[in-house]
Amino acid sequence: MFAKAALLMVLLCAASAATAADLADRLRDDSELSQSTAKSLRRLMPVRFYSLLESNAIANSTLSLRSCTIFVPTNEAFQRYKSKTAHVLYHITTAAYSQQNLPNTISSDMDGNPPLYITKNSNGDIFVNNARIIPSLTVETNSGGKRQVMHIIDEVLEPLTAKSGDSDPISNPDALKFLQQAEQLNLDNFNVRTYRNQVTLAKKESVFKSPGTHTFLLPVDEGFKLSARSSLVDAKVIDGHMIPNTVIFTAAAQHDDPKTSAAFEDLLKVTVSFFKQKNGKMYVKSNTIVGDSKHREGVVLAEIVKANIPVRNGVVHLIHRPLMIIDTTVTQFLQENSENGALRKFYEVIMDNGGAVLDDINNLSEVTILAPSNEAWNSSKINNLLADRKKLRQILNMHIIKDRLNVEKIRQKNANLIAQVPTVNNNTFLYFNVRGEGSDAVITVEGGGVNATVIQADVAQTNGYVHIIDHVLGVPYTTVLGKLESDPMMSDTYKMGEFSHFNDQLNNTQRLFTYFVPRDKGWQKTELDYPSAHKKLFMPDFSYHSKSILERHLAIADRVYTMKDLVQYSQESGSVILPTFRDSLKIRVEEENGRYVITWNHKKINVYRPDVECTNGIIHVIDYPILEEKDVVVSGGSYLTESTICITLANLIMITVAKLLN
Ligand SMILES: *[C@@H]1O[C@H](CO)[C@@H](O)[C@H](O)[C@H]1NC(C)=O
Ligand SMILES: *[C@@H]1O[C@H](CO)[C@@H](O)[C@H](O)[C@H]1NC(C)=O
Ligand SMILES: *[C@@H]1O[C@H](CO)[C@@H](O)[C@H](O)[C@H]1NC(C)=O
Ligand SMILES: *[C@@H]1O[C@H](CO)[C@@H](O)[C@H](O)[C@H]1NC(C)=O
Ligand SMILES: *[C@@H]1O[C@H](CO)[C@@H](O)[C@H](O)[C@H]1NC(C)=O
Ligand SMILES: *[C@@H]1O[C@H](CO)[C@@H](O)[C@H](O)[C@H]1NC(C)=O
C-alpha cells in the first residue's frame, strides 16, 4: 500500500516536471542518485516516455532485468511528435553505452533490430539518428552487475515502418528493399517509382545494397513531371545521389559542407551538400565540379520533402527533384520557384512589373541572373520603388547578364581583380569580386551602388546560371561617405578625403552630391605622370591642397546628375557647368561604344563605373583625376580666367604653402 502510494508520488512528481531544464534541476538535487539504483532511473525518466515504457512488457522488463541504454525523448519532443505512434523498443539497446563509448551504429531492440546511427557534429554534439543527446542529462546506474544508461534526447526516434494492414511487413530493409517496396512503407504518400525504374534500367541495384552506412537521396515521382527528365537518370546520376560511408541526418548535418558523392572520379566529380533556407526548409544540392558531355557542370538544388528515414545500410532522404540533371531554362527555373521557393519574391516583382522582363530573359540564348533572395526585397526603400514601373524595369534589367557566367568564369575574367560585366540595362555594369577558394569562396557583386553577397552560386540551367544574392542591386542603402569607405576601388580618394576632412560633409543626407571619384588605379597613374605631386597629394601636411583638388570633383546641387543627364546636356549646349563648392566644373560628356567619356580642359577621362547610386547622391568612378599639370607644379599663380575654366586654385595654395614655409 505504502509502496504504491510512493510510486504514485514519484509519477506525479515526474508528471509535473515537463521540461528538460526541470529534469536537469532534479538530477542535481537528487540525493538518491549516488545510490545509483535502477529505481532512480525510472524515477528520473520524463513521464511521457515512462508511461509508454511501462505499458510495453518487453521494455519494462528490460529496464528491470538487463543492462541497457535508453534514449529518452523529452516531454516537449513528444508534444511535437503528436499523433504519430512512438516505438519504445526503437529507443532501447541491450548494452550500456556512456556518451564517450557510443559506437557508430547500435542495434535497437525493435523487431528485426534496425540500427540506430550515432554521429557527432563539429560542435561536439552527439546525435542518435536525428535526435541530439542533451549532454548534461545522461544518467548512469549500476547495480548487481547490471549497467544502465539513460540519454535524454530532443526528438522522438522514428523508425521506418510498414503501412498498417500489410500482411507481410518488411523488417529492417536496406536501401534496395526500401526502393523496391516503397509502396508498402509509411512514406507520407510519396512515391519513388520513376526513380526505381531508372535504377533497374541502369542495373544499379548494387549501389543500394552495398553494406555499410551511407546516405541515399531519392527523388520522388513529382520530380519527374518534365517528361524527358527520367531518361536523363543514368548510372552516373544514380551514383551522384549517394554519399558513401557517411550517414547524414539533417539535424546533424554540417551545412554547406560538400561531401564526395559516389560519382567522383577523374572525369566526373560531383559533390553533395546540405543547407537550410531562411524559411527553415532543408535542401540538398549537387555540384558537378568536373562534368562531361552528358553531365553539365553546375549546381542543382532539391528540397528535402521527407528527411531522415533510417534503413539497414544508412539513411534515406526523399527529395523533390533529381540532382545533377540540368534540363530547365532560367525562365523555367524562376517559374518553378515562384510559389514557395527561394525566388518567389523576385518572380512576383517581375510579374507585377508586367512580366516583360521574363520574356527578355526567355529570348536570350545565354543568360545569367543575379536573383535577390526573398528577404532581400524586404525593405521600405524597395517597396517605395515598386510603383515606379520604369525605374523598376531598369533595376530588374541590372540583374540580367547576356552571358553564361559561373564563378569559375568570373575568376578567370579577372584574376585577383574586380571583374566588370555589362548588364541588359544599358550602361550599367556589374563588378564581381571572388575571394577564397572552393566552398570557402566569398563572391560579392556590386551594381548601381549596392554591394551584394552571393548566397547561392552557380545554380545551373540549360541556357545559363542563376546566382542568388542578398541585396537588390541598384537600390542604394548607404551615403556617399558610406560607399567611399567600403568600396575597394575608391580607397585612395577616401583616404585623401579623410585626412583633409573633405569627407566630413559626405554623410549629410540634407544634400545631394554628384561625386566624380578617381579610382585607385587613376591615382596610381598620376603617380607615374607627376611623382612628386602625387606624393604631396597624399601627405596630410598638404591637406589643403588635396582638399581643393577633391572639391573640383564634387558637385553639390538640388539634384544629382546621372551620366545620361550629363550626355543629354552636353548634346544640348556643348558642355555642362556643374556647381562645386568654390566655383564650377565645366565638362562635356559623350557616349562612345557604350562607354561614357568626360572631356575636361581638352583632356579625355573615361568613366569606369557610372551611376553608383547612394542615398544622398551619386558617384561616377573615373579613370583619372580631374587634374592637370598646372595643378601640381609649383608655379606663378594665374587666377581663374575665361579660357581656363578649370580653376588653378591649387597653384595658389601651393604658393600659400610655400609662403608659410618661408
Ligand atoms: C514494470 O516494471 C515495474 C518494476 O519491475 C513493475 O512494478 C510494473 O508493474 C511493471 N509494469 C507493467 C505494466 O508491467
Ligand atoms: C521575344 O520573343 C517573343 C516571342 O517568343 C517575341 O514576340 C519578342 O518580340 C521577343 N522580344 C525581344 C526583345 O526579342
Ligand atoms: C520582413 O521584415 C519584417 C520587419 O522587419 C519582418 O517581420 C519579416 O519577417 C520580414 N520578412 C521576411 C520574409 O524576411
Ligand atoms: C540600349 O542600347 C541599345 C544599343 O545601343 C539600343 O538599341 C536600345 O534601345 C537601348 N535600350 C534602352 C532601354 O535604352
Ligand atoms: C563588396 O564589399 C566588400 C567589403 O567592403 C569588398 O571586400 C568587396 O570587394 C566588395 N565587392 C565589390 C564587387 O566591390
Ligand atoms: C553616417 O551616418 C550614418 C547615419 O545616417 C551613421 O550610422 C554613420 O556612422 C555615419 N558615418 C560616419 C563616418 O560618420
Side-chain angles (χ1 to χ4, degrees):
M1 222 16 221
F2 179 74
K4 246 192 183 154
L7 182 64
L8 194 66
M9 280 296 293
V10 166
L11 286 178
L12 282 174
C13 174
S16 68
T19 68
D22 284 349
L23 183 66
D25 286 346
R26 278 195 292 141
L27 289 179
R28 259 194 302 281
D29 296 346
D30 189 51
S31 53
E32 271 183 60
L33 253 190
S34 52
Q35 297 170 12
S36 291
T37 65
K39 224 179 191 166
S40 67
L41 206 77
R42 282 178 192 264
R43 212 167 82 61
L44 290 166
M45 202 170 278
V47 64
R48 297 284 289 267
F49 186 80
Y50 186 70
S51 58
L52 276 173
L53 182 141
E54 256 228 319
S55 62
N56 182 305
I58 302 170
N60 198 34
S61 65
T62 297
L63 190 57
S64 301
L65 304 171
R66 309 186 66 173
S67 289
C68 61
T69 303
I70 310 188
F71 298 100
V72 180
T74 59
N75 291 338
E76 300 98 307
F78 271 103
Q79 237 128 41
R80 286 196 305 273
Y81 202 62
K82 285 195 190 111
S83 53
K84 287 191 258 183
T85 316
H87 295 264
V88 174
L89 292 174
Y90 193 53
H91 292 73
I92 299 177
T93 183
T94 53
Y97 299 113
S98 55
Q99 277 181 37
Q100 301 75 29
N101 302 333
L102 282 165
N104 293 339
T105 60
I106 297 175
S107 285
S108 76
D109 216 14
M110 200 169 128
D111 282 355
N113 298 113
L116 296 168
Y117 297 98
I118 308 292
T119 51
K120 291 194 177 105
N121 72 7
S122 57
N123 295 335
D125 289 327
I126 305 173
F127 291 82
V128 46
N129 289 6
N130 200 53
R132 189 175 71 93
I133 295 179
I134 302 171
S136 57
L137 301 184
T138 287
V139 180
E140 287 197 40
T141 66
N142 205 333
S143 69
K146 189 178 70 197
R147 237 183 105 216
Q148 300 190 323
V149 185
M150 170 171 77
H151 299 290
I152 305 290
I153 55 177
D154 68 354
E155 210 173 85
V156 176
L157 300 175
E158 190 177 358
L160 174 58
T161 53
K163 283 179 181 161
S164 57
D166 203 305
S167 54
D168 180 22
I170 331 140
S171 78
N172 194 10
D174 61 13
L176 182 62
K177 281 234 172 64
F178 173 97
L179 190 61
Q180 288 168 339
Q181 307 186 28
E183 286 81 356
Q184 286 148 263
L185 300 169
N186 276 318
L187 297 179
D188 304 346
N189 296 323
F190 287 112
N191 280 306
V192 289
R193 287 193 191 92
T194 314
Y195 192 66
R196 177 172 63 214
N197 287 343
Q198 294 310 120
V199 170
T200 312
L201 280 174
K203 298 196 171 56
K204 288 297 281 185
E205 287 88 350
S206 58
V207 168
F208 300 86
K209 246 184 352 207
S210 142
T213 58
H214 319 291
T215 302
F216 301 93
L217 303 161
L218 302 188
V220 297
D221 286 351
E222 284 76 17
F224 294 96
K225 274 191 203 137
L226 288 177
S227 56
R229 186 174 277 177
S230 61
S231 65
L232 299 173
V233 177
D234 60 16
K236 297 292 179 199
V237 170
I238 292 167
D239 285 340
H241 283 75
M242 186 239 209
I243 306 171
N245 306 316
T246 312
V247 275
I248 302 175
F249 284 85
T250 53
Q254 176 97 26
H255 294 178
D256 297 306
D257 177 27
K259 299 284 183 198
T260 304
S261 77
F264 203 89
E265 52 208 48
D266 286 350
L267 299 175
L268 181 67
K269 294 189 200 298
V270 181
T271 63
V272 173
S273 46
F274 287 73
F275 68 100
K276 200 185 225 165
Q277 294 260 301
K278 280 260 167 54
N279 61 13
K281 285 184 181 160
M282 281 297 296
Y283 279 73
V284 281
K285 69 175 178 197
S286 64
N287 188 1
T288 304
I289 302 166
V290 176
D292 58 29
S293 58
K294 284 200 182 132
H295 309 95
R296 303 241 320 246
E297 288 170 12
V299 168
V300 173
L301 311 178
E303 188 188 335
I304 301 180
V305 289
K306 184 167 174 59
N308 306 318
I309 306 163
V311 291
R312 190 165 68 212
N313 54 347
V315 61
V316 171
H317 305 284
L318 301 184
I319 57 179
H320 94 279
R321 59 152 291 157
L323 301 172
M324 284 176 70
I325 293 177
I326 297 165
D327 63 348
T328 52
T329 63
V330 169
T331 315
Q332 283 169 323
F333 176 76
L334 291 177
Q335 283 161 341
E336 261 182 20
N337 277 273
S338 64
E339 269 175 28
N340 45 23
L343 301 179
R344 175 180 54 81
K345 194 72 198 162
F346 183 52
Y347 185 79
E348 255 174 49
V349 172
I350 290 177
M351 284 323 195
D352 287 352
N353 192 241
V357 171
L358 206 61
D359 297 337
D360 291 353
I361 295 172
N362 213 13
N363 282 1
L364 297 174
S365 56
E366 300 203 312
V367 60
T368 297
I369 305 281
L370 283 306
S373 67
N374 292 333
E375 292 72 29
W377 295 96
N378 198 8
S379 98
S380 56
K381 274 211 192 72
I382 293 168
N383 282 329
N384 295 340
L385 192 124
L386 294 180
D388 186 345
R389 259 178 108 106
K390 197 164 158 237
K391 174 84 181 158
L392 184 61
R393 176 83 185 266
Q394 283 172 7
I395 286 186
L396 288 169
N397 282 343
M398 211 180 267
H399 293 78
I400 307 169
I401 297 165
K402 283 188 207 168
D403 191 6
R404 205 185 268 275
L405 199 64
N406 62 2
V407 174
E408 197 44 48
K409 203 160 161 192
I410 295 168
R411 230 188 251 282
Q412 287 163 9
K413 250 187 182 339
N414 224 336
N416 299 322
L417 289 168
I418 286 180
Q420 181 178 0
V421 177
T423 69
V424 167
N425 196 43
N426 283 350
N427 305 115
T428 304
F429 293 83
L430 299 182
Y431 304 84
F432 285 91
N433 192 7
V434 187
R435 288 214 246 155
E437 290 292 323
S439 59
D440 292 331
V442 176
I443 303 126
T444 51
V445 54
E446 144 97 35
V450 173
N451 180 324
T453 301
V454 174
I455 49 186
Q456 179 59 64
D458 286 352
V459 184
Q461 311 303 332
T462 51
N463 58 340
Y465 292 93
V466 175
H467 308 287
I468 302 176
I469 55 176
D470 68 347
H471 277 115
V472 178
L473 303 173
V475 183
Y477 60 91
T478 169
T479 61
V480 170
L481 179 60
K483 191 69 213 163
L484 281 173
E485 204 173 6
S486 62
D487 197 284
M489 214 178 263
M490 308 184 201
S491 62
D492 279 352
T493 304
Y494 172 71
K495 264 185 259 163
M496 195 184 291
E498 277 299 285
F499 68 71
S500 64
H501 297 290
F502 178 78
N503 286 349
D504 297 354
Q505 60 189 314
L506 298 177
N507 213 27
N508 185 345
T509 49
Q510 308 301 311
R511 292 282 178 83
L512 285 174
F513 303 103
T514 301
Y515 196 9
F516 298 90
V517 174
R519 62 181 179 131
D520 292 358
K521 280 224 172 102
W523 291 114
Q524 281 158 24
K525 279 184 215 151
T526 62
E527 185 172 14
L528 296 177
D529 296 348
Y530 318 109
S532 74
H534 175 269
K535 204 167 144 200
K536 284 201 183 97
L537 280 171
F538 286 91
M539 279 164 61
D541 283 350
F542 291 85
S543 69
Y544 197 75
H545 178 50
S546 317
K547 192 173 181 180
S548 72
I549 296 285
L550 289 178
E551 271 164 358
R552 182 186 296 152
H553 291 78
L554 182 73
I556 308 173
D558 55 1
R559 53 163 298 183
V560 300
Y561 295 89
T562 65
M563 274 294 153
K564 246 201 188 90
D565 296 337
L566 295 172
V567 169
Q568 193 196 330
Y569 298 146
S570 302
Q571 280 167 356
E572 282 165 11
S573 43
S575 65
V576 197
I577 297 178
L578 297 172
T580 67
F581 182 67
R582 269 166 216 275
D583 27 68
S584 60
L585 174 67
K586 184 179 174 189
I587 55 174
R588 178 180 169 74
V589 182
E590 285 154 309
E591 199 179 332
E592 293 175 6
N593 307 319
R595 290 301 188 125
Y596 295 109
V597 181
I598 298 174
T599 308
W600 169 78
N601 206 21
H602 310 298
K603 295 171 82 128
K604 284 193 175 223
I605 300 174
N606 286 317
V607 179
Y608 185 75
R609 239 167 102 187
D611 303 325
V612 177
E613 289 195 50
C614 305
T615 50
N616 61 347
I618 197 164
I619 290 173
H620 306 296
V621 181
I622 55 179
D623 268 348
Y624 199 83
I626 305 178
L627 191 78
E628 61 179 343
E629 198 159 1
K630 274 196 270 189
D631 289 329
V632 286
V633 178
V634 181
S635 65
S638 68
Y639 206 59
L640 183 68
T641 65
E642 277 296 305
S643 62
T644 53
I645 290 294
C646 72
I647 31 158
T648 53
L649 246 186
N651 295 5
L652 197 71
I653 292 137
M654 292 299 273
I655 293 160
T656 317
V657 170
K659 271 187 189 152
L660 282 174
L661 290 177
N662 281 336

